[in-house]
Amino acid sequence: QVQLVESGGGLVQPGGSLRLSCAASISINSFNTMGWYRQAPAQQREMVAQLTSAGVTDYLDSVKGRFTTSRDDAKNTLVLQMNALNPEDTAVYYCQAWYCRGSECRDYWGQGTQVTVSS
């Protein structure tokens, strides 16, 4: 079974940085897409960054220029580098991936990691 495990969350001061990692149990090259989502309390989950199979990354407007997602294929890991964090970035961050075999696709989610930006 495919598993995704996030790590790297924590408490950081405004303006600080965090690096989140999403470790997959299989090669991340097996996924059609991978990305990051976040959800604040009482808020809908929103897409933060999405890496498509074509290698194009889409970012939430509010994180553009501050967040960067990248692949570490050797470690089967997707990374989200978050810089210039502000309190609005506080949320549980989730790793997500779509795995397709032919026309049948299934999405996988990690358990989430808490990011808190506060002074």
Side-chain angles (χ1 to χ4, degrees), residues 3-79:
Q3 292 181 312
L4 303 174
V5 180
E6 302 97 334
S7 63
L11 175 65
V12 65
Q13 293 183 327
S17 298
L18 283 175
R19 182 179 183 270
L20 306 184
S21 295
C22 171
S25 61
I26 64 173
S27 172
I28 61 174
N29 292 317
S30 300
F31 297 114
N32 293 77
T33 65
M34 294 191 75
W36 294 92
Y37 289 73
R38 69 185 184 187
Q39 187 169 20
Q43 300 295 318
Q44 290 187 319
R45 188 172 297 183
E46 60 184 350
M47 186 274 291
V48 176
Q50 187 72 43
L51 184 65
T52 71
S53 58
V56 178
T57 304
D58 294 324
Y59 293 97
L60 180 68
D61 284 345
S62 62
V63 310
K64 288 181 178 178
R66 300 188 297 118
F67 291 11
T68 302
T69 190
S70 60
R71 301 160 58 101
D72 189 339
D73 292 341
K75 297 180 179 179
N76 294 330
T77 299
L78 185 72
V79 173

